[in-house]
Amino acid sequence: MSTAAQSIREIVTRQPSAARVFRRFDIDLCLQADLSLEGACEELRLSVDQVLEKLADEEVQVSGGAALDPANFPLGRLIQHIVRVHHHSIRQELPRLAEMASQAAAKCVDRSPELVRVVELIEKLHREMYAHIEKEEQILFPFISQMDQESIVSYPPLHACFRSVAHPIFMMEQEHESANHVVSELIRLTNHFEPPTWACGTHTALFSGLRQFELDLRQHVRLEDEVLFPRAIQRETELKARS
Ligand SMILES: [Fe+2]
Ligand SMILES: [Fe+2]
């Protein structure tokens, strides 16, 4: 749990989701990075207890989500979980990280020229992952949900866009590989998301946000590649044997 005596920088380093809370309260990650939370709240005439409460809520929300074990969910619920937690995180975090990366690059490019490439990589990830999750939500996931219905009478279902679910799954796995390459380059460029000692608050918040995003993406891809997709292929085998 964060405390009023910790600096804004310390809080955001320990709890990446704190950046979202600070943004809501207009606490400046750069200008107020070295102030204690209490000091920053005093400057902005905020209630420190209210900010601490929101930080705690945010932390519980993030760790509560991680404590679930969705690998045991039925297919339909697993898909819902992936969309609500991981696709939501992509839609929410990538624009925020892209904005922070541009700000950090504009301020710190002289001492950290690699930030220019970091901006390009986040934008690439943003473009590719948006298109990827749209395909999953519009085409593949509805198809898998349909396969999971007990009432399904023929396979492949009428109006299916493909003969076997293995084809779109193969495409999605290739796209996961591509995202992994982008993330590996980000890890290498940022020294495993370790900010330099002189980094400003935005730079520090960007790296902790990227670290959190990388964990979330790894969990997301693992759930699809190792749980959802093999189970969909197994379900297809059962349906084919039945028809
Ligand atoms: Fe996904
Ligand atoms: Fe995916």
Side-chain angles (χ1 to χ4, degrees):
M1 284 289 169
S2 305
T3 67
Q6 283 177 308
S7 72
I8 300 298
R9 186 196 306 277
E10 281 168 341
I11 294 175
V12 95
T13 304
R14 191 190 67 79
Q15 181 190 343
S17 63
R20 280 198 289 274
V21 177
F22 291 151
R23 191 181 198 180
R24 254 181 267 147
F25 285 101
D26 287 330
I27 294 175
D28 194 307
L29 291 172
C30 278
L31 299 178
Q32 297 179 301
D34 295 318
L35 288 181
S36 65
L37 177 63
E38 194 166 25
C41 288
E42 225 173 84
E43 277 194 359
L44 296 168
R45 296 174 189 276
L46 296 168
S47 149
V48 70
D49 288 338
Q50 202 185 347
V51 178
L52 281 170
E53 197 182 306
K54 294 290 172 205
L55 286 170
D57 285 352
E58 192 76 28
E59 197 163 18
V60 167
Q61 215 178 331
V62 172
S63 62
L68 294 168
D69 185 9
N72 299 323
F73 290 173
L75 277 183
R77 191 159 164 229
L78 175 58
I79 287 174
Q80 265 183 7
H81 170 85
I82 289 171
V83 173
R84 284 188 190 155
V85 176
H86 299 295
H87 290 193
H88 175 74
S89 153
I90 284 171
R91 292 190 171 101
Q92 181 172 275
E93 286 301 288
L94 282 175
R96 194 179 74 87
L97 293 170
E99 192 188 329
M100 279 202 291
S102 299
Q103 286 171 1
K107 276 184 74 175
C108 311
V109 71
D110 292 344
R111 295 175 84 178
S112 273
E114 73 285 356
L115 285 172
V116 174
R117 181 70 182 145
V118 168
V119 172
E120 287 171 2
L121 289 170
I122 295 174
E123 283 169 358
K124 179 176 159 74
L125 203 55
H126 190 177
R127 272 192 315 276
E128 292 186 355
M129 287 310 288
Y130 262 53
H132 176 80
I133 62 179
E134 282 292 319
K135 279 182 254 178
E136 288 181 338
E137 290 177 22
Q138 300 300 323
I139 303 169
L140 179 58
F141 290 178
F143 187 85
I144 295 177
S145 297
Q146 207 177 353
M147 285 165 67
D148 198 36
Q149 305 287 319
E150 272 312 311
S151 54
I152 186 167
V153 282
S154 65
Y155 189 85
L158 289 175
H159 315 300
C161 310
F162 26 78
R163 298 296 301 167
S164 167
V165 76
H167 299 146
I169 283 177
F170 178 71
M171 276 179 60
M172 295 301 105
E173 286 170 341
Q174 301 281 96
E175 292 179 5
H176 291 167
E177 269 301 297
S178 168
N180 282 337
H181 285 306
V182 175
V183 171
S184 299
E185 192 176 344
L186 278 170
I187 291 174
R188 187 178 55 73
L189 279 173
T190 60
N191 187 26
H192 293 258
F193 309 122
E194 202 53 60
T197 47
W198 50 263
C200 68
T202 304
H203 196 155
T204 306
L206 168 69
F207 280 25
S208 50
L210 280 171
R211 180 182 290 123
Q212 183 72 40
F213 181 80
E214 189 264 332
L215 281 175
D216 186 88
L217 185 66
R218 205 174 338 136
Q219 200 179 11
H220 175 185
V221 166
R222 186 190 68 81
L223 272 182
E224 291 179 355
D225 285 353
E226 295 178 22
V227 183
L228 179 64
F229 296 166
R231 280 168 62 186
I233 287 172
Q234 187 192 343
R235 176 74 179 146
E236 179 177 66
T237 309
E238 287 163 15
L239 290 170
K240 279 184 171 166
R242 219 205 266 175
S243 55

